[in-house]
């Protein structure tokens, strides 16, 4: 070991984003985050992932918080640590494709409010859906990281991943991420994949996995030995289960080796002590279900993300067809094949899962086809890795012409229209972006915000103790 050149592993902390999104439905509040960020800032993390994904939606919808305000507060607190966000390509943080002007403006404002690194992915790995966000990030001086949505299947050979990685490098990305959202990447496969990607590109490679199937820590070990540059971990109170491997465990794993990140275990201990009561409270209130903390080996058996399995269970229950669970599980890979074998991640996981349920409970495959299935088969989400089944496509769209161009090329600029719709609520430039993503939820939030303001207006005599900020 002594002869090996030192190559400290870089670590991205996810406790402020993916960890609580995976375990407690993204309900950690800004007030719960702020008291500890001073200490987190001293750890030496490569970055802290703290924004994007579902945090934006959950802040507005459930916590009645302005996500932009959270970002600015985190930026103020983290003086030495880069801030990272997750971005769904042309869908931004929402569930539909947006016109380029909205994507560009969102990237601009994210960086202006404090984001350093934007991790951009597409559920079909159609790189055309990423190019606007990557270009905007380059232009604004941000770090554009492009993520491969990792999955298994005939189409997903090492050559496929290498070729995609090269194209990502060519499109101007600053780094590459293997986004293993379902925990499907097993340790020795990580060796092969990381080795192949390091051969294919000069980009730094990051690995993001979830502990769902129980192999996450071992996968990181093999990936680091194979030369991966960065791994994503979560502080232990919000680690493992459907979240990431634990930060303290990975730091200790590499102690005294060339990969030692050099973290102070006492400092990590203090940070864990801070988050533990938040975890315990979430367990007490039922927000944290102990079930998600275990190992779900079915994830590996059926190659279906854990979250998708629980969705299938509840969909079948609603239909009074719980006995059809295994039939549906067998139908999922068939539908996925018909749909061009996409990775199963939001929104493709919901589309494939719902269609599989329909195929089973109606007793006839594609007797009913959802609107989303139709859109996917028509090419509205972009190009699938393998061609879709032409017979199923015909059933879904008849003689309509499938879309083969970049889907956003068909969208007119929409920022001005959105501005006009929400003008009465606007208090900051960023409000139009909140509205663009979640029109109803944002409007509800704007109303709440306005009402709060009136309530705490000192002239109305309701702020005697000065308890509320004005
Ligand atoms: Co994740």
């Amino acid at each position: 070991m002594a002869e090996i050149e030192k190559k400290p592993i870089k670590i991205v902390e996810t406790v402020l984003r993916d960890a609580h999104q995976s375990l407690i439905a993204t309900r950690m509040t800004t007030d719960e985050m702020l008291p500890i960020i001073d200490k987190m800032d001293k750890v030496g993390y490569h970055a802290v992932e703290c924004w994007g994904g579902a945090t934006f939606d959950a802040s507005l919808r459930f916590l009645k918080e302005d996500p932009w305000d959270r970002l600015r507060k985190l930026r103020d607190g983290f003086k030495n640590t880069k801030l990272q966000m997750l971005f769904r390509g042309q869908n931004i943080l929402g569930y539909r494709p947006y016109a380029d002007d909205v994507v560009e403006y969102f990237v601009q404002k994210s960086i202006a409010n404090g984001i350093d690194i934007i991790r951009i992915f597409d559920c079909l790995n159609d790189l055309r859906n990423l190019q606007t966000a990557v270009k905007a990030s380059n232009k604004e001086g941000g770090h554009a990281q492009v993520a491969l949505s990792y999955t298994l299947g005939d189409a997903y050979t090492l050559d496929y991943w290498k070729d995609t990685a090269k194209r990502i490098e060519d499109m101007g990305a600053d780094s590459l991420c293997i986004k293993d959202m379902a925990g499907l990447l097993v340790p020795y496969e990580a060796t092969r994949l990381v080795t192949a990607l390091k051969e294919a590109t000069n980009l730094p490679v990051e690995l993001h996995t979830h502990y769902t199937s129980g192999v996450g820590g071992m996968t990181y070990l093999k990936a680091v030995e194979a030369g991966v540059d960065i791994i994503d971990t979560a502080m232990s109170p919000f680690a493992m289960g459907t979240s990431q491997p634990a930060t303290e465990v990975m730091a200790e794993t590499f102690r005294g080796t060339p990969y030692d990140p050099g973290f102070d275990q006492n400092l990590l201990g203090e940070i864990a002590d801070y988050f533990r009561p938040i975890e315990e409270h979430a367990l007490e209130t039922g927000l944290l279900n102990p079930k998600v903390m275990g190992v779900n080996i079915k994830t590996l058996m059926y190659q279906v993300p854990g979250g998708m399995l629980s969705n299938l269970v509840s969909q079948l229950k609603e239909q009074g067809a719980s006995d059809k669970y295994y039939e549906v599980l067998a139908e999922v890979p068939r539908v996925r094949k018909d749909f061009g074998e996409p990775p199963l991640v939001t929104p493709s996981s919901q589309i494939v899962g719902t269609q599989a349920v329909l195929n089973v409970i109606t007793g006839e495959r594609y007797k009913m086809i959802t609107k989303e299935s139709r859109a996917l088969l028509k090419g509205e989400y972009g190009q699938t890795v393998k061609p879709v089944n032409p017979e199923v496509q015909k059933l879904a769209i008849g003689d309509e012409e499938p879309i083969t161009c970049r889907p956003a090329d068909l969208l007119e600029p929409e920022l001005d229209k959105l501005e006009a719709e929400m003008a009465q609520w606007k208090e900051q430039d960023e409000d139009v972006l909140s509205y663009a993503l979640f029109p109803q939820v944002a409007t509800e939030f704007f109303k709440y915000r306005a009402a709060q303001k009136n309530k705490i207006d000192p002239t109305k005599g309701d702020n005697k103790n000065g308890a509320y900020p004005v």
Side-chain angles (χ1 to χ4, degrees):
M1 279 262 176
E3 285 159 29
I4 301 176
E5 195 190 335
K6 278 211 166 117
K7 197 202 162 196
I9 184 68
K10 294 176 179 161
I11 292 185
V12 171
E13 174 60 53
T14 68
V15 69
L16 303 185
R17 204 287 296 177
D18 203 353
H20 74 104
Q21 178 172 330
S22 298
L23 295 176
I24 55 165
T26 335
R27 298 297 206 278
M28 202 183 286
T29 64
T30 305
D31 285 346
E32 286 171 322
M33 298 175 183
L34 294 180
I36 196 61
I37 61 181
D38 219 24
K39 281 188 179 155
M40 289 179 70
D41 196 31
K42 297 189 173 78
V43 170
Y45 292 122
H46 171 65
V48 168
E49 193 201 33
C50 60
W51 213 61
T55 63
F56 200 95
D57 187 0
S59 296
L60 289 168
R61 193 185 299 263
F62 303 113
L63 306 176
K64 297 289 176 223
E65 282 188 18
D66 179 9
W68 298 99
D69 188 49
R70 172 184 295 182
L71 176 55
R72 288 188 286 264
K73 285 178 173 152
L74 292 172
R75 180 70 286 167
D76 275 352
F78 281 106
K79 311 238 182 284
N80 308 300
T81 311
K82 288 180 185 150
L83 301 185
Q84 183 167 320
M85 74 173 290
L86 182 67
F87 197 99
R88 293 183 196 131
Q90 210 68 28
N91 299 341
I92 312 181
L93 309 179
Y95 305 102
R96 70 161 174 100
Y98 288 88
D100 288 334
D101 61 344
V102 182
V103 176
E104 285 160 1
Y105 195 45
F106 203 100
V107 168
Q108 185 195 328
K109 284 296 180 187
S110 301
I111 293 172
N113 280 281
I115 290 293
D116 299 289
I117 303 171
I118 306 189
R119 173 178 293 166
I120 310 159
F121 78 99
D122 176 59
C123 75
L124 301 182
N125 286 325
D126 183 341
L127 302 186
R128 298 172 307 173
N129 290 336
L130 308 178
Q131 74 195 29
T132 299
V134 170
K135 266 193 206 144
S137 176
N138 292 157
K139 186 175 158 226
E140 301 298 328
H143 176 114
Q145 176 177 80
V146 171
L148 301 162
S149 300
Y150 181 75
T151 189
L152 303 170
D154 295 344
Y156 301 94
T157 60
L158 280 184
D159 281 340
Y160 165 81
W161 296 120
K162 282 165 80 168
D163 175 62
T164 310
K166 273 186 217 146
R167 291 196 291 132
I168 287 170
E169 187 166 27
D170 291 343
M171 74 191 280
D174 297 302
S175 64
L176 179 71
C177 175
I178 306 161
K179 179 176 161 58
D180 178 24
M181 53 277 169
L184 298 178
L185 183 62
V186 290
Y188 287 94
E189 200 49 41
T191 304
R192 281 186 281 273
L193 180 60
V194 170
T195 306
L197 293 178
K198 292 298 285 183
E199 260 171 41
T201 83
N202 293 315
L203 294 176
V205 179
E206 179 157 353
L207 177 56
H208 174 88
T209 194
H210 287 252
Y211 210 80
T212 322
S213 62
V215 298
M218 293 183 281
T219 297
Y220 277 167
L221 177 60
K222 297 309 281 182
V224 169
E225 287 176 353
V228 91
D229 300 276
I230 314 163
I231 54 173
D232 290 6
T233 64
M235 286 305 300
S236 57
F238 286 95
M240 302 189 284
T242 50
S243 173
Q244 274 75 53
T247 307
E248 302 96 304
V249 173
M250 295 320 301
E252 204 56 28
T253 298
F254 298 115
R255 185 170 308 285
T257 75
Y259 313 112
D260 191 342
F263 287 3
D264 175 352
Q265 204 63 256
N266 290 322
L267 178 60
L268 291 181
E270 289 172 30
I271 297 168
D273 286 345
Y274 175 81
F275 281 110
R276 199 163 297 110
I278 301 176
E279 179 207 5
E280 279 160 9
H281 185 248
L283 273 168
E284 279 161 22
T285 59
L287 185 55
L288 175 55
N289 182 342
K291 264 191 191 161
V292 301
M293 299 302 283
V295 167
N296 186 343
I297 203 62
K298 283 187 183 144
T299 284
L300 284 182
M301 285 165 63
Y302 300 107
Q303 302 180 355
V304 165
M308 189 174 159
L309 287 171
S310 48
N311 271 343
L312 292 178
V313 170
S314 59
Q315 281 188 24
L316 286 171
K317 213 170 171 185
E318 273 170 34
Q319 307 282 339
S322 295
D323 57 319
K324 300 275 203 289
Y325 181 63
Y326 288 96
E327 265 177 79
V328 170
L329 276 181
E331 178 65 6
V332 165
R334 288 195 288 263
V335 172
R336 184 172 168 236
K337 267 243 150 77
D338 289 337
F339 286 13
E341 210 169 45
L344 296 175
V345 60
T346 306
S348 55
S349 47
Q350 289 87 336
I351 300 173
V352 168
T354 305
Q355 190 60 54
V357 168
L358 281 178
N359 284 1
V360 169
I361 61 174
T362 58
E364 187 185 331
R365 305 190 69 218
Y366 304 112
K367 186 176 175 185
M368 281 170 70
I369 299 178
T370 66
K371 184 168 140 266
E372 290 78 15
S373 292
R374 236 176 268 281
L376 185 88
L377 289 162
K378 197 181 168 187
E380 284 178 18
Y381 289 90
Q383 197 181 6
T384 48
V385 174
K386 284 199 154 180
V388 301
N389 181 335
E391 285 165 33
V392 176
Q393 188 186 45
K394 178 101 189 168
L395 279 175
I397 67 169
D399 292 329
E400 273 183 75
E401 197 64 27
I403 293 167
T404 54
C405 66
R406 185 181 74 109
D409 284 338
L410 303 172
L411 302 174
E412 295 292 328
E414 52 183 326
L415 208 45
D416 289 347
K417 184 176 150 273
L418 292 163
E419 288 269 12
E421 282 172 21
M422 55 74 65
Q424 70 173 117
W425 302 111
K426 186 167 167 175
E427 288 184 15
Q428 56 176 348
D429 288 349
E430 290 79 0
D431 286 344
V432 68
L433 294 165
S434 304
Y435 177 82
L437 261 45
F438 306 105
Q440 279 163 344
V441 172
T443 304
E444 286 304 310
F445 170 76
F446 296 149
K447 284 182 193 164
Y448 168 86
R449 184 174 65 182
Q452 286 300 102
K453 260 204 166 159
N454 290 334
K455 201 162 84 189
I456 61 179
D457 185 339
T459 61
K460 301 224 164 84
D462 198 24
N463 195 28
K464 309 192 261 296
N465 326 321
Y468 304 105
V470 265

